Amino acid sequence: MTYSHAQDEPQRKVIQLSGIVLNADSTDAVAGVNIYVPTKGRGTSSGRFGYFSMPVLEGDSVVFSFIGLKRQTFKIPEKVESDRISLILTMQVDEIALAEIEVMPFPTEDEFKRAVIAMNVVDPMSISRSNMSPEMFLRWAEAMPASGNENFRYFQEAQMLQNQDLYGPRTLRLLDPFAWGQFIRSIKRGDLKQRD
């Protein structure tokens, strides 16, 4: 009975692959290029200035892909003296030419003319008049969510009440002598009498 161990396989050297990805027609860097080793399930993507860096093993095939650019593969050599490889990769535009398509909703011009003549056109002013009724405006106002201003004001009031609660309980208006004074003055003036 023979057992194979992972140590029996030859050790492959780890190499730091780094570089810059550029457009083929200019010196503009390409950000967001997917760079990966398909067999290993590891990879990275190029940064804002097209720079990338990732560890690979000797003999790995590294794939560079980006939507709108041709996919490229770079093979890491089997025997590398240094532990670093730097490369400048230029990617070509991947153009796909499609045949011209003419969209026709009606098979013939005569059918199109008949459909136009048979159309039932509604007066746009009658639609807008029904949308401008006070009942419709009231229904819209009730269903409308709070604006940003209202949300902000509500948030500020809640923050203020929370800060007040930190330093003591909220004042009770029944125990406020100034409120009682205003109430008594309003009774003397007759503000609370029912008017006929």
Side-chain angles (χ1 to χ4, degrees):
M1 207 184 249
T2 59
Y3 295 101
S4 64
H5 297 286
Q7 288 135 357
D8 295 341
E9 297 174 6
Q11 289 290 325
R12 295 193 297 166
K13 187 171 163 185
V14 176
I15 301 194
Q16 191 66 30
L17 175 68
S18 57
I20 296 176
V21 182
L22 303 172
N23 275 331
D25 58 347
S26 67
T27 57
D28 290 338
V30 183
V33 175
N34 295 313
I35 304 155
Y36 59 96
V37 180
T39 57
K40 303 297 181 194
R42 65 178 184 268
T44 187
S45 59
S46 60
R48 182 173 160 200
F49 301 108
Y51 178 78
F52 69 93
S53 182
M54 67 180 279
V56 293
L57 297 174
E58 290 176 325
D60 279 351
S61 292
V62 183
V63 176
F64 296 81
S65 69
F66 189 80
I67 295 174
L69 299 176
K70 290 183 181 172
R71 179 181 294 213
Q72 293 189 23
T73 304
F74 178 77
K75 175 93 167 140
I76 306 295
E78 293 289 340
K79 298 290 179 194
V80 181
E81 292 179 18
S82 174
D83 60 347
R84 297 175 185 270
I85 294 178
S86 297
L87 90 119
I88 298 174
L89 184 78
T90 55
M91 297 188 77
Q92 302 287 335
V93 175
D94 190 13
E95 294 178 358
I96 299 172
L98 299 175
E100 182 182 348
I101 298 171
E102 189 175 343
V103 178
M104 301 277 295
F106 297 95
T108 64
E109 190 176 337
D110 291 333
E111 286 187 31
F112 173 70
K113 287 177 183 175
R114 273 186 258 136
V116 169
I117 291 170
M119 261 184 3
N120 184 12
V121 179
V122 178
D123 179 25
M125 289 309 291
S126 66
I127 296 172
S128 63
R129 273 192 291 277
S130 67
N131 287 343
M132 300 293 274
S133 67
E135 296 84 16
M136 185 66 74
F137 280 134
L138 185 61
R139 199 173 323 143
W140 285 344
E142 289 171 350
M144 188 177 294
S147 69
N149 247 354
E150 291 169 327
N151 281 333
F152 180 71
R153 189 173 60 235
Y154 176 74
F155 174 76
Q156 290 290 70
E157 288 173 0
Q159 286 290 102
M160 185 182 68
L161 289 174
Q162 186 178 11
N163 286 339
Q164 286 177 354
D165 289 344
L166 288 175
Y167 302 110
R170 294 182 194 166
T171 58
L172 184 60
R173 295 292 287 172
L174 288 174
L175 303 177
D176 185 0
F178 298 107
W180 276 103
Q182 288 175 354
F183 179 64
I184 292 169
R185 278 193 296 276
S186 68
I187 290 174
K188 286 180 181 178
R189 283 193 309 259
D191 294 347
L192 300 176
K193 289 182 181 177
Q194 287 185 347
R195 295 181 184 155
D196 296 330

